[in-house]
Amino acid sequence: MTPRFLDAEAEEPEPVGFLGVRPESSPTTGGPLYTLEQMGVMTVDVVEALATLPAKVFDVAQAIVGLEERDPTGPVSIVGGGRLAGETAAHEEILVDQKVMSLLMLIAGFNFFIGMFNFVPLLPLDGGHIASAVWEALRRRFARLRGRPDPGYVDAAKLLPVAYVVASAMLVMGVVLIVGDLVVPVRLTS
């Protein structure tokens, strides 16, 4: 369809050409291989996000006190995620099926990040318990290969100071992100 513009002297709209790019979207679906590929991409993205999480939380803290702008692609807490979900649901230009997919992807993204975060090999997290169990298995295997007696269980209680530091850091990061989402929230852009 050709856009029509009114000339000040013309009585009928006159058709004119269009120069530029008109956005179009077409939904696509993928099978199991596409899903596995996307999970691999998401895993790499989550690992990169985990590596930069402390620095990005520090940037959010600076945004709270007004030293810099909040990064719209930075981390958010569950409060910020809820705000983004609400803004998506209330947006009038987004179709209902796109809203549903966006909200499902937001929930899936949060769950995937939390699951990957839980695998970080530090002790209050499951990854810390897995790491100590793997270390115990390796010690037993090396002892068996050398013909030595079983070295016994790994005392994970010796790592409690590490667990306290990590749990405290997680608590501080959570509070900073929640306060950041209340004071300088990330908003959905049109």
Side-chain angles (χ1 to χ4, degrees), residues 109-134:
F110 265 112
N111 281 321
F112 190 72
F113 180 81
I114 289 170
M116 292 293 291
F117 183 75
N118 201 21
F119 276 122
V120 172
L122 295 172
L123 230 189
L125 304 171
D126 288 341
H129 297 289
I130 293 169
S132 65
V134 167

Side-chain angles (χ1 to χ4, degrees), residues 15-121:
V16 296
F18 176 77
L19 177 65
V21 178
R22 188 172 287 163
E24 289 185 16
S25 65
S26 58
T28 59
T29 59
L33 293 178
Y34 174 78
T35 302
L36 287 174
E37 178 185 333
Q38 290 303 309
M39 292 298 285
V41 169
M42 285 178 64
T43 301
V44 170
D45 290 345
V46 167
V47 169
E48 289 173 0
L50 284 173
T52 61
L53 185 63
K56 292 200 178 232
V57 171
F58 182 74
D59 293 342
V60 172
Q62 287 184 322
I64 290 171
V65 296
L67 296 177
E68 66 179 50
E69 292 291 319
R70 176 89 187 254
D71 181 11
T73 62
V76 294
S77 69
I78 196 69
V79 173
R83 178 188 299 268
L84 289 173
E87 288 181 13
T88 301
H91 205 287
E92 294 177 4
E93 295 176 11
I94 301 174
L95 300 174
V96 174
D97 60 340
Q98 291 175 341
K99 288 179 185 182
V100 170
M101 287 309 299
S102 175
L103 295 175
L104 287 175
M105 289 302 293
L106 183 68
I107 292 168
F110 265 112
N111 281 321
F112 190 72
F113 180 81
I114 289 170
M116 292 293 291
F117 183 75
N118 201 21
F119 276 122
V120 172

Side-chain angles (χ1 to χ4, degrees), residues 142-182:
F142 284 133
R144 192 174 337 144
L145 288 174
R146 292 180 175 170
R148 294 187 175 185
D150 185 0
Y153 295 105
V154 170
D155 187 11
K158 291 180 181 177
L159 297 174
L160 279 177
V162 173
Y164 296 148
V165 169
V166 172
S168 299
M170 287 172 32
L171 181 66
V172 168
M173 286 191 298
V175 169
V176 167
L177 288 177
I178 290 172
V179 170
D181 288 335
L182 294 173

